Amino acid sequence: MSLAFLIKVAVISSSGALAPGPLTAATAAVGVKKGWKGGFMVSLGHMAVELPLVIIIGLGVAILTREVSTVLSFIGGAFLLFFSYLTAKDAIRVNSLSASGSSASPLLVGISLSALNPFFIAWWAGIGSPLIMEAVGYWGLAGIGVLYAAHVWLDFAWLTSLARITSLSGFSLRFYKILLFALAILVAIFGVDFIFYAFTQSHLLPF
């Protein structure tokens, strides 16, 4: 059960990590000049903002009543469905991952484009909260760390790889588009499951 939950966290987190956005575009630009090391530093900056946010949400989630958890599950499901739609739309629209080189500090890029991105905060408040709540149910407050570990490695893997890819030439976007479509479908399934749980207190999926 707990292993299946961690897999679910990884799948849902992938939708956020891989989705085109300011951080993705900036990392691609950083990668042109600085390669994979630039992507790694962007990831560190992103984590510097994200980890405190997750801890704050987690400490609040740990004391939530069942009624509030039901509301969070419904909101999280709605967010997932909307995020699935955006991911599918991005898969259609995205034309390039590369950009002109950037001389900005990769660490500051990660910090600023995370702290100043309302969609990033909304993702954790809407989608992340039910996941944090479920992790706390499995492992107590230690679940916050378990969940974040299951999530954050994807940020590092993706942003570092993206920076490396954009430092090369001739990269095709076909696989990236297919991956985004697959993630959109998976995220939609989880969204339906979240909403089902909000009304029935049971899951459609076997985890």
Side-chain angles (χ1 to χ4, degrees):
M1 178 70 74
S2 58
L3 177 59
F5 168 72
L6 294 178
I7 293 173
K8 176 168 70 174
V9 170
V11 170
I12 293 176
S13 296
S14 296
S15 70
L18 299 182
L23 193 63
T24 300
T27 302
V30 165
V32 172
K33 277 192 172 182
K34 303 181 186 296
W36 70 267
K37 292 181 180 179
F40 184 83
M41 295 305 295
V42 171
S43 301
L44 283 179
H46 177 69
M47 185 177 71
V49 175
E50 184 177 60
L51 181 56
L53 176 63
V54 172
I55 292 174
I56 291 170
I57 294 175
L59 292 177
V61 163
I63 60 174
L64 290 175
T65 64
R66 181 171 179 174
E67 289 74 18
V68 174
S69 71
T70 297
V71 173
L72 279 178
S73 292
F74 180 82
I75 294 174
F79 264 92
L80 283 173
L81 291 177
F82 181 63
F83 209 79
S84 171
Y85 161 74
L86 291 180
T87 302
K89 186 170 72 172
D90 286 336
I92 296 173
R93 291 186 174 183
V94 66
N95 293 315
S96 176
L97 287 175
S98 62
S100 59
S102 171
S103 58
S105 164
L107 185 65
L108 291 179
V109 166
I111 292 173
S112 60
L113 292 184
S114 300
L116 302 178
N117 186 349
F119 296 103
F120 159 73
I121 298 173
W123 191 95
W124 273 109
I127 298 174
S129 292
L131 293 174
I132 294 173
M133 181 167 39
E134 194 170 346
V136 170
Y138 282 127
W139 300 288
L141 288 177
I144 299 173
V146 174
L147 175 138
Y148 191 65
H151 164 85
V152 73
W153 74 269
L154 283 161
D155 289 332
F156 276 86
W158 166 241
L159 294 177
T160 302
S161 298
L162 174 62
R164 172 57 178 163
I165 287 169
T166 56
S167 70
L168 305 174
S169 60
F171 175 66
S172 172
L173 290 178
R174 183 177 181 182
F175 176 75
Y176 179 62
K177 287 174 175 285
I178 293 173
L179 182 59
L180 283 182
F181 272 121
L183 285 171
I185 294 172
L186 288 173
V187 168
I189 292 172
F190 285 124
V192 171
D193 181 66
F194 273 35
I195 293 174
F196 183 81
Y197 179 83
F199 287 103
T200 67
Q201 299 301 303
S202 62
H203 289 281
L204 283 171
L205 299 175
F207 46 83

